[in-house]
């Protein structure tokens, strides 16, 4: 006598097998995506989940193009670059640190009573989805205050920016002599 399955079970079994296959494929894709976004190697699983892990260029929500710092013999200088958002959502840079300054702030140059005035950038640097944000003399920049030593042309300064989601982005800016814009980083600035 041939074995037959009840008709009601066969479609249900097919749906279960199909759902299991879709789930396995989804889980495989999720695991693959999660491993490429990790900000550290498999040596330290705790570090890969840390929100302050340094972002790598291939997985970072933000990358930095053409970073440089203005050489300075005073106690202040600026860092410039183009920040590129590699995501489909806006990202905000909320703070920063550097290897050569006691204090690092996000600054803008704004027109106040007809005069360009440098001041902290309220709300940080917003980088639109899949967009970029230029840091340049006379506009938005990263301000290094309380330099521990003069920054000479050719010096390398490490800067770490913190994003609104807690991730950090570390990069090196090379110092160069720059006379354009005639920035006076000491004028109108107060130490805090």
């Amino acid at each position: 006598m041939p074995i037959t399955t009840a008709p009601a079970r066969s479609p249900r079994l097919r749906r279960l097998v199909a759902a299991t296959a879709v789930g396995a494929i989804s889980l495989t894709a999720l695991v693959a995506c999660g491993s490429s976004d990790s900000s550290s190697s498999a040596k330290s699983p705790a570090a890969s989940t840390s929100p302050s892990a340094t972002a790598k260029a291939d997985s970072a929500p933000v990358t930095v193009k053409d970073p440089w710092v203005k050489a300075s013999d005073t106690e202040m200088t600026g860092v410039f670059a183009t920040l590129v958002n590699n995501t489909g959502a806006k990202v905000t840079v909320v703070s920063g640190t550097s290897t050569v300054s006691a204090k690092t702030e996000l600054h803008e140059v704004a027109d106040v009573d007809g005069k360009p005035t440098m001041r902290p950038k309220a709300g940080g640097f917003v980088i639109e989805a899949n967009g970029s944000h230029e840091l340049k003399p006379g506009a938005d920049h990263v301000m290094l205050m309380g330099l521990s030593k003069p920054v000479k042309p050719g010096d390398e300064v490490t800067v770490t920016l913190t994003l609104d989601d807690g991730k950090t982005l570390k990069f090196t800016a090379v110092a160069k002599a720059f006379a354009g814009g005639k920035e006076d980083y000491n004028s109108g600035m107060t130490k805090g």
Side-chain angles (χ1 to χ4, degrees):
M1 189 181 240
I3 300 176
T4 60
T5 57
R9 289 190 180 189
S10 182
R12 191 185 313 159
L13 184 58
R14 282 188 222 141
R15 285 193 301 268
L16 180 60
V17 170
T20 303
V22 168
I25 292 168
S26 298
L27 182 59
T28 302
L30 181 63
V31 169
C33 289
S35 66
S36 67
D37 281 345
S38 176
S39 59
S40 65
S41 68
K43 291 184 235 169
S44 175
S48 67
T49 59
S50 169
S52 64
T54 301
K56 292 182 179 178
D58 61 351
S59 65
V62 176
T63 52
V64 180
K65 287 176 38 179
D66 305 320
W68 63 281
V69 60
K70 181 178 178 180
S72 176
D73 288 326
T74 68
E75 62 182 47
M76 295 186 193
T77 193
V79 176
F80 312 98
T82 299
L83 306 175
V84 180
N85 181 349
N86 301 308
T87 72
K90 87 176 168 184
V91 175
T92 304
V93 177
V94 296
S95 65
T97 61
S98 89
T99 54
V100 297
S101 63
K103 190 173 184 179
T104 302
E105 293 183 353
L106 309 180
H107 278 201
E108 68 179 343
V109 175
D111 185 10
V112 176
D113 298 326
K115 292 181 72 176
T117 304
M118 185 172 41
R119 63 185 183 193
K121 176 88 172 189
F125 303 142
V126 177
I127 312 165
E128 294 301 324
N130 299 306
S132 62
H133 186 85
E134 187 176 8
L135 305 179
K136 62 184 180 179
D140 289 352
H141 58 280
V142 177
M143 191 73 201
L144 307 182
M145 301 160 50
L147 295 177
S148 57
K149 61 179 183 172
V151 177
K152 302 292 183 191
D155 286 354
E156 293 184 350
V157 175
T158 301
V159 177
T160 303
L161 299 178
T162 301
L163 308 179
D164 54 353
D165 64 0
K167 290 183 181 174
T168 59
L169 176 64
K170 187 176 185 177
F171 63 94
T172 300
V174 176
K176 66 179 185 177
F178 181 75
K182 305 294 183 197
E183 294 87 4
D184 181 4
Y185 292 127
N186 293 309
S187 162
M189 291 299 304
T190 58
K191 295 179 191 173

